[in-house]
Amino acid sequence: MVKKYKIIYNRTECIGAGACAAIAPDRWLMVAGGKADLIDGKEISAGMWEAIVEADEKQIKLLIESADACPVKVIHIIDLETDKQII
Ligand code: SF4
């Protein structure tokens, strides 16, 4: 089942470890300057990025894994159906 989620990403605090992009390369892209870009994301305030995504079980599992693998925990995901933060 496809559901909607919000990804919240504090790009300022990203240390460029690359774990997110290794796990979910369709959502995270390592760029020059040693940061990850949130693909299809929007900068909502200085350094803070958001993306609304539709994901099935397999895709959300990978997204959660990518957030969990981030050593500085700068990626968060909200289930837009329940408004609860998953990670
Ligand atoms: S895993 Fe975290 S620190 Fe590493 S590139 Fe991704 S967002 Fe940045």
Side-chain angles (χ1 to χ4, degrees):
M1 188 179 59
V2 173
K3 286 171 56 178
K4 277 192 176 179
Y5 301 88
K6 185 194 280 182
I7 301 172
I8 301 169
Y9 171 44
N10 184 344
R11 192 176 188 274
T12 304
E13 301 294 325
C14 168
I15 59 167
C20 55
I23 293 168
D26 59 335
R27 188 52 61 187
W28 302 104
L29 178 72
M30 299 310 296
V31 294
K35 299 264 188 191
D37 270 357
L38 173 56
I39 295 170
D40 294 333
K42 224 174 42 185
E43 191 171 25
I44 49 140
S45 62
M48 290 299 298
W49 288 71
E50 276 187 12
I52 307 290
V53 302
E54 291 190 345
D56 62 19
E57 283 87 352
K58 199 175 152 196
Q59 290 166 321
I60 191 60
K61 199 168 162 266
L62 278 180
L63 278 174
I64 293 168
E65 247 180 74
S66 72
D68 194 36
C70 174
V72 284
K73 302 288 182 245
V74 294
I75 303 168
H76 298 284
I77 301 171
I78 293 170
D79 182 331
L80 289 179
E81 225 167 65
T82 61
D83 255 346
K84 284 215 171 102
Q85 185 170 328
I86 301 172
I87 187 163

